[in-house]
């Protein structure tokens, strides 16, 4: 049995660690980024429900989702409310308010949500609305469609009472102005998009839901849409099997339909961890220039076992389970 480091950022009770055995290969988060309590623990115990897992260090979002689940509400409700926390955080520069703009200076947002029935709703390239995850849910529940884009998505949101707001903060505007001086576009691994949220949750009934919300790649071309709002790529849920979600260079996730692939691999018997690793390897096989971009996946199966894997070091996940909100640095492919 291997020793593994888990980083505990918050604990509501003193219960013993019973984290899913599939969270493997974890490493410490650099101390300048966090002031965590670091514990070496062995994780061979059974996964328990409910559970929330999200891409990146989004402890406030997972904490909100957990709170909603503790109230006995659905995983769908937990996903929406959890994602909304980060969307409203002006300091996160790749989700909602404060997201870095496209090359014309417009903040355009993509998001999608899936419920236990396998229903799906999304908004793509929507401007001026702080909570695309909530609009995506409305698309799923209140329209005969599954995706609304651009102006249409914005008008739909406004018709429901969502407020129009300027999402470009001073900090993001300044960063864009600096970028314009270079006039060269190159995605930077783990830097320009470090907190796009992909979130998966299983509620007390054992039902799975997921969401994904982002402002996409910084300084992208106007009109560019990534993987995050596209079913099967940025997110996929099958309540009989599990769910998966992605972060990183969306073009690569789209070309391999990564989240759907992971769920199908779990259907064939792979663990969430094995499925995430296989999906990353598919990308690497297709794209010899993988040194230049990052992709990270997380997955959960019906039992609440989780997996996470990325191409490069520097990807983090946050898992709330057994009353503990824990950030992990998952295992990755490109070991130098
Ligand atoms: C995109 N996948 O628009 C998103 C960006 C992202 O972490 O997830 N960054 O391609």
């Amino acid at each position: 049995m291997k020793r593994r480091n888990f980083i505990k950022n918050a604990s509501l009770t003193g219960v013993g660690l019973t984290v899913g055995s599939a969270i493997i290969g974890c490493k410490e988060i650099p101390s300048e980024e966090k002031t965590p309590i670091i514990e070496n623990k062995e994780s061979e115990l059974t996964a328990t429900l409910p559970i929330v897992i999200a891409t990146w260090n989004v402890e406030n979002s997972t904490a909100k989702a957990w709170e909603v689940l503790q109230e006995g509400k659905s995983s769908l409700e937990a996903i929406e409310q959890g994602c909304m926390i980060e969307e409203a955080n002006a300091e996160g520069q790749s989700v909602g308010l404060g997201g870095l703009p496209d090359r014309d200076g417009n903040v355009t947002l993509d998001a999608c949500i899936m419920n236990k029935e396998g229903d799906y709703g999304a908004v793509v390239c929507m401007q001026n609305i702080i909570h695309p995850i909530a609009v995506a849910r409305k698309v799923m529940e209140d329209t005969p469609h599954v995706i609304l884009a651009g102006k249409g998505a914005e008008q739909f949101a406004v018709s429901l009472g969502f407020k129009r707001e300027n999402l470009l903060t001073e900090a993001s505007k300044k960063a864009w102005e600096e970028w314009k001086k270079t006039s060269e576009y190159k995605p930077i691994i783990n830097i320009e998009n470090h907190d796009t949220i992909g979130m998966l949750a299983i509620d007390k009934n054992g039902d799975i839901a997921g969401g994904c919300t982002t402002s996409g790649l910084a300084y992208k071309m106007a009109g560019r849409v990534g993987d995050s709002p596209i079913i099967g790529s940025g997110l996929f849920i099958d309540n009989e099997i599990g769910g998966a979600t992605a972060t990183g260079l969306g073009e690569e996730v789209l070309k391999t339909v990564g989240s759907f692939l992971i769920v199908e691999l779990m259907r064939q018997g792979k663990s969430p961890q094995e499925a995430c690793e296989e999906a990353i390897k598919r990308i690497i096989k297709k794209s010899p220039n993988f040194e230049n971009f990052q992709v990270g996946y997380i997955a959960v199966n019906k039992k609440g076992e989780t997996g996470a894997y990325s191409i490069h070091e520097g990807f983090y996940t946050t898992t709330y389970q057994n009353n503990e909100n824990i950030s992990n640095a998952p295992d990755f492919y490109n070991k130098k």
Side-chain angles (χ1 to χ4, degrees):
M1 200 184 294
K2 288 188 188 145
R3 303 289 298 175
R4 289 159 191 152
N5 290 327
F6 287 92
I7 292 88
K8 192 163 71 169
N9 290 310
S11 177
L12 296 182
T13 71
V15 297
L17 188 78
T18 52
V19 173
S21 56
I23 302 177
I24 65 168
C26 299
K27 301 193 339 178
E28 293 172 23
I29 292 176
S31 57
E32 64 273 12
E33 290 179 45
K34 296 264 158 200
T35 47
I37 303 162
I38 298 169
E39 297 185 0
N40 283 320
K41 293 191 176 176
E42 291 167 349
S43 63
E44 281 302 313
L45 300 168
T46 317
T48 61
L49 301 179
I51 181 170
V52 182
I53 180 167
T55 54
W56 304 111
N57 298 323
V58 289
E59 294 83 6
N60 293 339
S61 285
T62 48
K64 182 67 196 181
W66 180 260
E67 186 189 311
V68 172
L69 292 175
Q70 291 308 304
E71 289 164 6
K73 295 190 179 140
S74 69
S75 49
L76 183 69
E77 192 63 32
I79 291 292
E80 180 183 10
Q81 292 201 33
C83 288
M84 283 171 66
I85 296 291
E86 191 57 34
E87 286 178 341
N89 173 15
E91 274 159 33
Q93 287 188 304
S94 44
V95 181
L97 178 66
L100 289 167
D102 66 15
R103 59 188 58 184
D104 299 338
N106 297 311
V107 180
T108 68
L109 305 178
D110 297 335
C112 76
I113 197 160
M114 283 189 82
N115 66 13
K116 65 182 162 71
E117 282 83 20
D119 295 325
Y120 157 79
V123 292
V124 302
C125 223
M126 184 177 72
Q127 294 186 42
N128 303 315
I129 307 288
I130 234 173
H131 290 303
I133 195 77
V135 185
R137 182 172 175 183
K138 290 289 184 192
V139 172
M140 177 174 79
E141 292 178 343
D142 296 355
T143 80
H145 308 302
V146 293
I147 304 179
L148 291 181
K151 274 274 161 246
E154 186 179 334
Q155 280 162 12
F156 172 65
V158 169
S159 77
L160 295 172
F162 287 85
K163 256 193 2 215
R164 272 199 179 95
E165 286 171 68
N166 176 19
L167 303 181
L168 187 64
T169 55
E170 272 313 305
S172 290
K173 188 169 171 211
K174 218 166 139 203
W176 168 62
E177 278 161 356
E178 281 304 309
W179 172 81
K180 275 199 297 184
K181 291 181 196 157
T182 71
S183 71
E184 191 196 336
Y185 181 71
K186 192 169 179 294
I188 305 165
I189 290 172
N190 285 335
I191 294 180
E192 67 179 15
N193 279 284
H194 65 283
D195 52 4
T196 289
I197 291 200
M199 185 185 279
L200 309 167
I202 309 183
D203 58 30
K204 287 178 175 168
N205 295 330
D207 290 322
I208 311 173
C212 196
T213 179
T214 187
S215 53
L217 295 182
Y219 322 130
K220 61 196 174 187
M221 291 174 71
R224 181 263 187 193
V225 173
D227 62 310
S228 305
I230 305 301
I231 188 169
S233 289
L235 176 74
F236 196 71
I237 302 295
D238 182 327
N239 198 35
E240 285 181 10
I241 305 297
T245 184
T247 181
L249 188 62
E251 282 72 4
E252 297 296 325
V253 177
L254 281 161
K255 286 189 283 184
T256 49
V257 201
S259 294
F260 183 72
L261 172 63
I262 291 169
V263 173
E264 289 308 300
L265 290 167
M266 291 195 291
R267 191 191 307 280
Q268 290 163 23
K270 290 214 185 300
S271 70
Q273 184 63 32
E274 289 166 345
C276 288
E277 291 181 17
E278 173 64 24
I280 287 292
K281 284 172 191 158
R282 295 273 177 107
I283 292 176
I284 284 161
K285 210 165 150 194
K286 270 179 84 118
S287 299
N289 68 331
F290 69 85
E291 286 281 353
N292 300 326
F293 61 83
Q294 172 71 308
V295 171
Y297 287 116
I298 60 171
V300 67
N301 67 13
K302 194 68 181 163
K303 289 188 267 183
E305 295 167 339
T306 58
Y309 199 65
S310 59
I311 300 177
H312 304 286
E313 192 169 14
F315 175 45
Y316 297 110
T317 65
T318 309
T319 307
Y320 214 133
Q321 193 175 30
N322 296 309
N323 290 315
E324 292 185 306
N325 202 8
I326 298 174
S327 284
N328 293 305
D331 198 10
F332 57 93
Y333 176 83
N334 194 22
K335 308 222 169 72
K336 307 249 160 135

